[in-house]
Amino acid sequence: MNTSANIYNLPKVRGVYKFAEPLKNYTWLNVGGPAEVMYFPEDEEDLRSFLRQKSEDLPVFIIGGGSNLLVRDGGISGVVIKLGNKNFARQRIENNTLYCGAGSVNFILKKMIEKNGLGGLEFLCSIPGTIGGAVRGNAGCFGSDMATVLTAVRVMLPSGEVRNLNNEECGFSYRHSDIPADWIILEVGLKFAYERSEEVAAKIAQNAEYRRTHQPQGIRTAGSTFKNPEGYAAWKLIKQCGGDKMVYGGARMSEQHCNFLHNDGTATAADIEKLCHAIEQEAAAKCEVPLELEIKIVGQE
Ligand SMILES: Cc1cc2nc3c(=O)[nH]c(=O)nc-3n(C[C@H](O)[C@H](O)[C@H](O)COP(=O)(O)OP(=O)(O)OC[C@H]3O[C@@H](n4cnc5c(N)ncnc54)[C@H](O)[C@@H]3O)c2cc1C
């Protein structure tokens, strides 16, 4: 990969460009090659100016907290945009709605949700990643998901145009939204009902305790690897087809919860992808329903 800014004729920005930036440092699975260019916009205006001036054939990918991504070993060509600046992580409360910049980290929102007693948003506090990534994939747990709480989302189109979408226009379904891959989520509005902050804190603690006792902690993973097919639990199908015993290099499924990938620190992205595909194939051959990946595989081999 070429690391010279001139080659890409990159627009002048107020934000930061990094070249050949290792994406393993930005993903929970801790694997993957570099971003050819990584761009951290300063603010929305900077982002808009970049999109309007960049050459049309320069591909762009947006990364959030990297908690649902498997980046291949060849990395990602073109520009990977990360809304890491604090200007994309502001929050305000208005009319029983929490508005958060798309770069807000869910774990950090926890403090605000607890302190202000924002009932109905407790589930979000235990999902790794950013609010932008959560909307894109309709993240959810403990009986709620983004579709349950989202009232509005502001997005930037590849042309730089900013548009407001309501809940229906997001086209949410199980771990999916219809928001096009090249639209950048900027800000999200989430409805809540005021409750005593002690009650909200207790629910958050209860959810955290459930995770501690039922899911692996502190490992390199991307959470649920496969979606639960309707009426089935993915982990049971993985067990049924023997996927829980498969090993590819440093990649296997967690002993504690076999729908969680586990990179022991030596896995390559190729090991992980092989494991995923081997499980898919075995499930197709041996189980009543096929498995579909929940994690997103991106980049070049
Ligand atoms: C330990 C663990 C537990 C997990 N538990 C859950 C769970 O209970 N429920 C659940 O649903 N998920 C869970 N996940 C998966 C993951 O945390 C969620 O999918 C999360 O919402 C992804 O957010 P992210 O910011 O990390 O997105 P990324 O992984 O960075 O990206 C995911 C997708 O979102 C897109 N994206 C990111 N930001 C933006 C933006 N601003 N605009 C447009 N597109 C964007 C990316 O292009 C990509 O397609 C878990 C993961 C881990 C590691």
Side-chain angles (χ1 to χ4, degrees), residues 63-65 82-91 100-106 108-109 129-133 185-188:
I63 191 170
K82 179 155 174 82
L83 307 182
N85 191 290
K86 63 178 181 335
N87 290 321
F88 292 99
R90 298 193 194 288
Q91 296 96 33
C100 343
S104 305
V105 172
N106 301 336
I108 292 175
L109 289 177
T130 62
I131 197 77
I185 296 162
L186 298 172
E187 193 188 44
V188 177

Side-chain angles (χ1 to χ4, degrees), residues 27-29 31 61 66-72 137 174-176 220-228 234 251-253 259-262 268-277 279-280 291-298:
T27 65
W28 278 60
L29 275 168
V31 292
F61 177 77
S67 61
N68 201 33
L69 288 180
L70 172 60
V71 177
R72 291 196 175 107
Y174 171 55
R175 298 296 172 267
H176 172 85
R220 297 173 184 87
T221 186
S224 296
T225 310
F226 295 96
K227 295 181 182 180
N228 290 316
R252 60 187 161 84
M253 304 312 281
N259 195 22
F260 278 58
L261 272 164
H262 182 184
T268 60
D271 292 336
I272 297 174
E273 190 169 358
K274 275 183 210 149
L275 173 63
C276 291
H277 293 323
I279 295 175
E280 273 175 330
L291 284 169
E292 187 193 338
L293 278 174
E294 182 168 322
I295 60 167
K296 294 176 178 61
I297 303 180
V298 292

Side-chain angles (χ1 to χ4, degrees), residues 5 8-19 37-62 78-83 88 156-160 184:
Y8 307 104
N9 199 13
L10 291 170
K12 276 213 163 65
V13 290
R14 285 179 289 114
V16 175
Y17 290 126
K18 290 186 178 176
F19 298 93
V37 181
M38 198 146 175
Y39 165 47
F40 301 82
E42 175 73 19
D43 52 28
E44 279 185 34
E45 203 36 60
D46 192 45
L47 176 61
R48 189 200 327 270
S49 159
F50 166 83
L51 291 173
R52 287 196 171 151
Q53 292 179 66
K54 78 167 190 66
S55 70
E56 248 176 55
D57 55 0
L58 181 64
V60 158
F61 177 77
I62 172 110
V79 180
V80 174
I81 299 178
K82 179 155 174 82
L83 307 182
F88 292 99
M156 191 175 284
L157 277 53
S159 63
I184 299 175

Side-chain angles (χ1 to χ4, degrees), residues 135 150-155 163-165 170 179 185 187-189:
V135 172
L150 184 138
T151 55
V153 56
R154 208 152 54 76
V155 293
R163 216 178 264 182
N164 293 302
L165 308 178
C170 293
I179 299 174
I185 296 162
E187 193 188 44
V188 177

Side-chain angles (χ1 to χ4, degrees), residues 25-267:
N25 298 340
Y26 296 86
T27 65
W28 278 60
L29 275 168
N30 197 221
V31 292
E36 204 164 8
V37 181
M38 198 146 175
Y39 165 47
F40 301 82
E42 175 73 19
D43 52 28
E44 279 185 34
E45 203 36 60
D46 192 45
L47 176 61
R48 189 200 327 270
S49 159
F50 166 83
L51 291 173
R52 287 196 171 151
Q53 292 179 66
K54 78 167 190 66
S55 70
E56 248 176 55
D57 55 0
L58 181 64
V60 158
F61 177 77
I62 172 110
I63 191 170
S67 61
N68 201 33
L69 288 180
L70 172 60
V71 177
R72 291 196 175 107
D73 298 311
I76 299 183
S77 305
V79 180
V80 174
I81 299 178
K82 179 155 174 82
L83 307 182
N85 191 290
K86 63 178 181 335
N87 290 321
F88 292 99
R90 298 193 194 288
Q91 296 96 33
R92 67 182 196 284
I93 294 174
E94 252 173 57
N95 303 327
N96 283 29
T97 306
L98 169 65
Y99 291 92
C100 343
S104 305
V105 172
N106 301 336
F107 290 162
I108 292 175
L109 289 177
K110 172 174 174 271
K111 275 189 203 146
M112 188 168 194
I113 292 171
E114 256 180 23
K115 187 171 146 238
N116 294 284
L118 310 185
L121 300 183
E122 299 89 346
F123 75 98
L124 198 52
C125 305
S126 68
I127 301 179
T130 62
I131 197 77
V135 172
R136 182 73 210 296
N138 189 20
C141 55
F142 304 112
S144 296
D145 58 17
M146 297 312 290
T148 332
V149 295
L150 184 138
T151 55
V153 56
R154 208 152 54 76
V155 293
M156 191 175 284
L157 277 53
S159 63
E161 181 199 338
V162 171
R163 216 178 264 182
N164 293 302
L165 308 178
N166 61 29
N167 185 305
E168 206 177 312
E169 288 167 322
C170 293
F172 287 125
S173 55
Y174 171 55
R175 298 296 172 267
H176 172 85
S177 80
D178 284 340
I179 299 174
D182 56 357
W183 291 19
I184 299 175
I185 296 162
L186 298 172
E187 193 188 44
V188 177
L190 307 172
K191 68 173 180 217
F192 62 83
Y194 278 114
E195 282 177 32
R196 286 179 46 242
S197 62
E198 295 78 4
E199 281 169 25
V200 169
K203 277 187 211 157
I204 292 172
Q206 200 183 336
N207 292 347
E209 182 55 22
Y210 180 89
R211 291 218 186 233
R212 258 194 300 278
T213 49
H214 291 78
Q215 297 176 1
Q217 305 290 302
I219 62 166
R220 297 173 184 87
T221 186
S224 296
T225 310
F226 295 96
K227 295 181 182 180
N228 290 316
E230 210 174 334
Y232 292 85
W235 70 265
K236 285 189 185 162
L237 299 171
I238 295 166
K239 246 188 185 359
Q240 193 185 325
C241 74
D244 58 329
K245 302 276 183 296
M246 292 179 186
V247 180
Y248 283 81
R252 60 187 161 84
M253 304 312 281
S254 156
E255 280 170 17
Q256 193 179 353
H257 191 313
C258 68
N259 195 22
F260 278 58
L261 272 164
H262 182 184
N263 166 13
D264 70 4
T266 65

